Amino acid sequence: AELGALDAKAFVAAVGPVYENSPWIAERAHAQAAPFDSLTAIDEAMWAVVSAASKEEQLGLLRAHPDLAGKAAVAGDLTMESTEEQQRAGLSQLSPEEMSEFQKLNSAYLAKFEFPFILAVRNANKGTILGAFRRRLKNDPGVEKAECLAQVRKIAWMRLRLLAPPAPTGKLTCHVLDTAYGCPAAGLPITLRFLGGSGGAAAPAPVVIGTFVTNSDGRLDGPALSGTAFAEGVYEWEFKVGEYFAVMGAPSSGTPFLDTVPLRFGIDNPEKHYHVPLLCSPWSYSTYRGS
């Protein structure tokens, strides 16, 4: 909220860099929608500006980004944000062969699309970056421009998250359904752990957030996490499905095929509601992102 209450000059100084070398986006967003009550509101206002921008302005935004592992990176001329992101992805430690491939891909991509290849690399590695590079070089120009703009928004969101704490509006809930008997899985023990922040920054050890038992509807009695306790990062549910199905008298082998089911998932925006359920039988399970 404090970030969203800044005057125009201070807001642009603080938020402008989330879109690479394009402070006009923060300027217009503040003029059109300030004050903001959440990071989500800032993100949506700035994306509305990008979406409404002219074709020339959108191309200018794309061209404001540096090549990945390009000449600017080698010369140390990147913005502070781009430098940190490329270093996290391992692009500052390329072998001569990898550097050569990046240079060839950068040249071929720029010749075809007339803007640089853009990928949100904060949580990526060299393998995923090169794989995406090779795939996207085959795209049509219109498809690739849309993909680049989507990546630009993703980069901006991850930078924005670093500027201020999220609004305490999000929560994490769960629901377990027994697909073998066609009913809610009541009485199923669950443990929730926090594994660490994004970008491969693991916690020193998994932190147990809480232990729960599903109620008669297969749900928890309330959110497992909410408000300021709900943070961006990687979490894991641990479902004791073997114990549950043993109580239910479900046929199973001497060594249960499914005993404990771990479900690892990421929270990108803790201002939102994440519903992460489990559908299970003694032989299978699935999940999805609900809300």
Side-chain angles (χ1 to χ4, degrees):
E2 292 181 2
L3 187 66
L6 294 175
D7 63 31
K9 183 177 180 180
F11 181 83
V12 173
V15 179
V18 304
Y19 276 92
E20 188 84 2
N21 291 316
S22 302
W24 57 271
I25 298 172
E27 290 172 357
R28 293 183 196 176
H30 189 277
Q32 295 171 9
F36 306 100
D37 61 4
S38 66
L39 297 179
T40 301
I42 296 174
D43 168 65
E44 291 174 348
M46 290 198 295
W47 181 243
V49 170
V50 174
S51 299
S54 67
K55 178 181 177 181
E56 290 71 23
E57 287 173 325
Q58 290 181 348
L59 287 173
L61 170 61
L62 299 184
R63 290 167 181 160
H65 285 73
D67 290 336
L68 294 181
K71 293 179 180 179
V74 173
D77 292 335
L78 299 181
T79 63
M80 179 178 64
E81 293 81 8
S82 286
T83 298
E84 192 263 346
E85 289 157 359
Q86 293 203 26
Q87 287 177 345
R88 285 174 66 101
L91 299 186
S92 61
Q93 299 175 334
L94 297 176
S95 68
E97 294 78 13
E98 290 169 333
M99 178 61 77
S100 177
E101 181 169 12
F102 267 102
Q103 290 174 346
K104 290 177 182 177
L105 288 169
N106 278 326
S107 296
Y109 187 97
L110 187 60
K112 179 175 181 178
F113 299 113
E114 299 183 341
F115 50 78
F117 175 78
I118 300 172
L119 183 71
V121 300
R122 175 173 289 275
N123 297 339
N125 57 45
K126 290 182 286 187
T128 58
I129 296 167
L130 284 170
F133 217 146
R134 299 182 192 112
R135 173 185 61 82
R136 287 171 49 189
L137 192 52
K138 302 173 185 176
N139 281 344
D140 292 330
V143 171
E144 189 56 20
K145 179 189 174 189
E147 174 66 17
C148 278
L149 287 172
Q151 291 293 327
V152 166
R153 184 185 188 184
K154 186 176 178 181
I155 292 167
W157 168 250
M158 289 191 288
R159 291 177 178 181
L160 183 61
R161 283 189 322 208
L162 300 175
L163 299 182
T169 52
K171 61 182 178 180
L172 172 64
T173 57
C174 185
H175 189 197
V176 186
L177 295 173
D178 176 346
T179 58
Y181 291 96
C183 64
L188 193 151
I190 306 174
T191 299
L192 176 64
R193 294 182 177 87
F194 177 69
L195 303 183
S198 65
V207 177
V208 175
I209 301 297
T211 56
F212 313 90
V213 176
T214 55
N215 59 26
S216 60
D217 194 34
R219 302 177 185 272
L220 310 185
D221 290 331
L225 276 174
S226 62
T228 57
F230 192 32
E232 176 272 334
V234 181
Y235 294 79
E236 183 179 82
W237 291 122
E238 182 182 87
F239 299 92
K240 298 290 188 181
V241 299
E243 181 178 327
Y244 164 79
F245 283 114
V247 171
M248 292 291 290
S252 68
S253 54
T255 300
F257 181 67
L258 294 178
D259 185 13
T260 298
V261 171
L263 180 60
R264 187 171 295 188
F265 57 97
I267 299 300
D268 179 63
N269 185 348
E271 295 180 345
K272 295 187 176 182
H273 178 195
Y274 283 73
H275 183 63
V276 187
L278 184 76
L279 292 75
C280 63
S281 77
W283 316 106
S284 65
Y285 65 92
S286 64
T287 189
Y288 58 90
R289 159 75 198 280
S291 61

